Amino acid sequence: MKTTCFIRVPSFCTPISPIIRKHLQKSFNKTGHYNQNHISTLNSAQTSISTSPSSPAPSTSHKPQTPVFLRPLIYSSTFPDLQSFTSWAKTLVSSVGSTFVQLDNGSDSTLLLRELRWLLEDSIDDPSLIPHLGICQNGGITSNTGSSSTEVVRLRVSLGQMYQLWKQRIQERRPFQYIVGCEHWRDLVLSVEEGVLIPRPETEKIVDLVGNVVGGNEMLREGLWADLGTGSGALAIGIARILGKNGRVIATDLSPTAISVAKFNVERYGLQDIIEIKQGSWFSPLVHVEGELDGLVCNPPYIPSEDIGSLQAEVAKHEPRLALDGGVEGMDNLLHLCERTAAMLKPGGFFAFETNGEKQCRLLANHMENEMTGSFRDVNIVSDFADIPRFLTGFCD
Amino acid sequence: MVSRCTHLNVALKFAVVLSSASSASPPFKISTLNLFPCIPTARTWSEIHATQGNKVFSTSPHQTTSATGCDDNDSNDNIIGRGFLRLPDEQLMGQCEMETFKASGPGGQHRNKRESAVRLKHLPTGIIAQAVEDRSQHKNRASALSRLRVLLALKVRNAVDLDAYSPPHELLLILPAKSTVRALECGPQIKPNNPKFVLGMQALLDLLYAVKGSISEAAQFWGTVKLSTGALSRLILSDDQLRMAVNELRTSMGLKSLK
Ligand SMILES: C[S@@+](CC[C@H](N)C(=O)[O-])C[C@H]1O[C@@H](n2cnc3c(N)ncnc32)[C@H](O)[C@@H]1O
């Protein structure tokens, strides 16, 4: 079992000093029984990652994990011990340098240090301690000044777990968001875990696009919307919060893990009366509302199958293939969605799809124009914040 | 009394105060303010100065509507520079060029990198504000925008006619509650953590620039409002950025820093 090899140091890491090594061993032993649990959760999560998209996991009820920042403060440590953790974690980070960037355009040490600060933010009761732990506000390194009090610091995860989590971050390239169990997305903090796609900042814009169309359109604002392949529920929640009081959203996904995590997030934002979550493949949970939708959004899996292996390790090794793989050209799901969208939407209904970029946007726009003449109007390619043509929007005619 | 702003061309509505050696008269000179020591800005103030010159802008923003609901009876000449701060967020954003990190690759589902830095360039003034430390793009945008408001307050100077001066409403709002007249007219004192504080801060700096940094002189221009130099100093010291800006001005005038 990988995770039991606690002190294993990757070849690119500088050796850990004997003092820290002893400390690691100590905190590991202290929290041994919890770690055991944690390891088994990890393993089951890893099994579910390797499930191939063609054979979706059976819809057993999945119990969503609680993100670190929402866990009770049942652990404690001392300030010096926390300082040792921080400097150990920083040593790991500096040993990474630009290795990940060169390997697969992964995170550099500045970003990793920022993540380290966020891990501390989520784990520690009193975030005002963080500046004294030797991490600068924007992730840079500051000197270890400040109090060296032996006061007890209350924690949401044990110090032993923090060592383990950070080791997973660096050695296994486990995504930071799975480490802390959440992602900050727009003004939301969404729970995520292995088996659910971490919502991307690019996708935030779909909510703005919906905001623009509902702004001057009462029918759309008070209407029935659908978010297909909702994952963590990000789009459904973002949209539910900008609709009028009669607005409704149906959020669907094929993955049982996504369904349970989306449910957790929807309830945390108190939107269970507005968002209905349904499990099933694309339009099949929506047959009862055919032709009645006022809006439809979807960020379907769009990466060409052959590209998946070469993605950043955090994505390729840890995020669910079911959420990424769009078939040979990456267009399988987009084309399928496009075929049925006209039948699902009311006349005047709005749609927005996210794509892999300019090529897919153009292919899809051409397909709508040539193969589905007269079904749509005002079809538009919209760029993301990095100026990459990313979204296709339009209305049902 | 003669207006102290003799160096101002009458047609000018407001001035952007930039750092480094410039040909402008002393009241329009301020040395580099390092407001966010942890955040490396892509261009320093002096670089901005190099590309823009110590440009004094007289173009008006598209909108000068009041977003504060506080009408003041100032001469209209003064409203332009302040207009920026009164714009609602979307309109101020509309005057900005937003730069986020340029994705080195296809983005979207391909990547998981927490680079959500946002850099806003306010086109009418060339002022740049950025935010990198928040965990979502959305929040970084909001932080950058509120930082831009602070920078606009610190850097955009409105001409003040000392002869006809009466403290604008937004300035009264940030005064301590004890000041007799403000207590009657306004609600509770607006503190530095309130987003509306920047409007008062800008008006206060406008006055202080007009009197070349002298606190005791500034305290004479309050008409019916009774404000001691001590109370004015305390107000200035209550906000770090305001204190730094005032001390930069005072240093450049050969005056002692407020402590
Ligand atoms: C790229 S993710 C998007 C998740 C979320 N909407 C977001 O933007 O963060 C694609 C989602 O589609 C789901 N999915 C894949 N195939 C599906 C299918 N046939 N029917 C419904 N959902 C599917 C995946 O489980 C995944 O949650």
Side-chain angles (χ1 to χ4, degrees), chain A residues 197 199 203 227 229-231 235 253-255 280-282 299-301 322-323, chain B residues 109:
Chain A
L197 186 99
T203 311
D227 169 22
T230 194
L235 282 172
D253 210 292
L254 190 56
S255 147
S281 184
W282 302 130
N299 172 20
L322 178 65
Chain B
Q109 288 164 22

Side-chain angles (χ1 to χ4, degrees), chain A residues 32-287:
Chain A
H33 84 276
Y34 186 98
N35 283 343
Q36 218 53 50
N37 286 343
H38 188 67
I39 288 163
S40 59
T41 347
L42 262 179
N43 279 350
S44 64
Q46 270 153 8
T47 328
S48 77
I49 302 168
S50 58
T51 308
S52 88
S54 50
S55 58
S59 58
T60 49
S61 69
H62 168 95
K63 194 175 173 296
Q65 285 169 25
T66 307
V68 168
F69 83 102
L70 288 177
R71 294 187 202 164
L73 286 157
I74 53 174
Y75 301 96
S76 61
S77 173
T78 63
F79 187 78
D81 281 353
L82 215 51
Q83 259 183 337
S84 322
F85 164 76
T86 312
S87 57
W88 167 81
K90 278 181 357 191
T91 313
L92 282 197
V93 169
S94 44
S95 67
V96 170
S98 60
T99 321
F100 296 167
V101 180
Q102 282 151 18
L103 269 177
D104 55 20
N105 197 17
S107 304
D108 63 12
S109 46
T110 313
L111 283 175
L112 290 168
L113 281 181
R114 207 172 286 158
E115 292 178 359
L116 176 60
R117 179 167 61 83
W118 291 333
L119 169 63
L120 291 163
E121 252 172 45
D122 282 6
S123 313
I124 300 181
D125 178 26
D126 177 6
S128 69
L129 287 177
I130 296 171
H132 304 291
L133 288 169
I135 302 183
C136 170
Q137 252 249 316
N138 72 335
I141 300 175
T142 55
S143 61
N144 270 344
T145 53
S147 87
S148 59
S149 82
T150 47
E151 242 174 70
V152 166
V153 182
R154 303 206 306 151
L155 300 173
R156 299 177 202 281
V157 285
S158 72
L159 198 59
Q161 287 169 315
M162 287 172 72
Y163 276 102
Q164 202 184 6
L165 290 171
W166 195 247
K167 197 176 66 97
Q168 291 168 349
R169 176 72 192 100
I170 304 294
Q171 291 185 1
E172 295 166 26
R173 307 274 309 267
R174 189 177 176 210
F176 171 74
Q177 298 88 341
Y178 291 159
I179 298 273
V180 291
C182 74
E183 171 67 319
H184 291 225
W185 191 84
R186 292 184 67 86
D187 51 348
L188 308 168
V189 184
L190 298 166
S191 169
V192 293
E193 64 182 54
E194 267 87 357
V196 178
L197 186 99
I198 299 158
R200 302 294 197 260
E202 282 86 349
T203 311
E204 294 186 10
K205 186 152 183 180
I206 294 185
V207 181
D208 295 327
L209 296 172
V210 171
N212 292 344
V213 298
V214 301
N217 187 324
E218 169 102 18
M219 174 188 99
L220 297 183
R221 191 169 57 247
E222 303 293 342
L224 177 63
W225 287 70
D227 169 22
L228 301 187
T230 194
S232 60
L235 282 172
I237 294 170
I239 290 169
R241 281 156 58 99
I242 57 173
L243 293 182
K245 61 179 190 313
N246 294 318
R248 292 286 176 274
V249 184
I250 303 176
T252 73
D253 210 292
L254 190 56
S255 147
T257 315
I259 292 290
S260 78
V261 171
K263 214 162 155 234
F264 179 93
N265 286 321
V266 165
E267 280 166 17
R268 209 169 83 75
Y269 283 97
L271 295 168
Q272 58 277 10
D273 295 338
I274 296 176
I275 302 174
E276 186 186 355
I277 299 177
K278 295 187 146 221
Q279 191 175 354
S281 184
W282 302 130
F283 293 100
S284 55
L286 296 179
V287 281

Side-chain angles (χ1 to χ4, degrees), chain B:
Chain B
M1 198 190 299
V2 180
S3 163
R4 311 292 170 95
C5 301
T6 47
H7 53 277
L8 264 188
N9 180 315
V10 275
L12 298 180
K13 309 287 192 201
F14 65 94
V16 179
V17 181
L18 291 168
S19 62
S20 84
S22 72
S23 53
S25 322
F28 287 87
K29 191 176 153 192
I30 192 167
S31 50
T32 307
L33 282 177
N34 191 1
L35 295 168
F36 316 113
C38 265
I39 300 164
T41 44
R43 289 200 291 163
T44 63
W45 292 110
S46 50
E47 282 172 297
I48 297 169
H49 177 258
T51 47
Q52 300 236 326
N54 198 22
K55 203 167 169 185
V56 180
F57 295 86
S58 55
T59 47
S60 66
H62 309 302
Q63 284 267 342
T64 54
T65 46
S66 165
T68 62
C70 290
D71 284 326
D72 64 60
N73 304 322
D74 272 16
S75 70
N76 278 338
D77 281 6
N78 288 344
I79 213 157
I80 307 294
R82 250 169 241 157
F84 295 136
L85 284 186
R86 290 184 176 145
L87 294 177
D89 281 354
E90 316 85 75
Q91 281 176 29
L92 186 58
M93 197 74 177
Q95 298 185 335
C96 294
E97 199 174 79
M98 183 170 104
E99 278 176 37
T100 48
F101 71 94
K102 286 292 168 217
S104 52
Q109 288 164 22
H110 282 261
R111 74 197 263 121
N112 174 10
K113 259 178 150 178
R114 306 285 309 240
E115 297 165 306
S116 46
V118 171
R119 189 159 166 269
L120 295 178
K121 180 173 178 187
H122 184 242
L123 296 173
T125 58
I127 289 176
I128 289 170
Q130 73 170 29
V132 299
E133 69 286 357
D134 283 315
R135 285 164 76 163
S136 87
Q137 182 111 87
H138 195 79
K139 284 200 203 143
N140 271 329
R141 203 180 319 166
S143 305
L145 201 61
S146 63
R147 238 163 240 176
L148 174 64
R149 288 185 184 278
V150 172
L151 289 172
L152 285 168
L154 294 174
K155 304 262 167 200
V156 176
R157 289 286 62 86
N158 300 282
V160 168
D161 178 1
L162 291 176
D163 283 339
Y165 190 80
S166 82
H169 188 71
E170 52 229 13
L171 178 49
L172 296 180
L173 288 173
I174 69 169
L175 298 183
K178 283 189 289 289
S179 328
T180 43
V181 169
R182 90 160 280 295
L184 295 176
E185 285 178 0
C186 317
Q189 180 189 10
I190 284 180
K191 296 277 176 59
N193 55 4
N194 186 313
K196 285 186 183 165
F197 184 81
V198 292
L199 277 160
M201 178 163 90
Q202 186 178 46
L204 180 56
L205 282 167
D206 288 342
L207 175 63
L208 285 166
Y209 269 79
V211 297
K212 304 190 175 168
S214 162
I215 308 296
S216 53
E217 209 173 323
Q220 292 169 18
F221 285 95
W222 300 78
T224 51
V225 185
K226 282 281 154 281
L227 194 67
S228 66
T229 43
L232 186 52
S233 304
R234 275 193 299 281
L235 172 63
I236 292 166
L237 294 175
S238 71
D239 180 70
D240 282 349
Q241 292 169 334
L242 178 58
R243 175 179 50 83
M244 283 195 288
V246 171
N247 280 339
E248 301 256 13
L249 166 66
R250 288 178 58 88
T251 309
S252 72
M253 294 289 123
L255 299 170
K256 273 202 323 257
S257 287
L258 300 179
K259 292 234 173 64

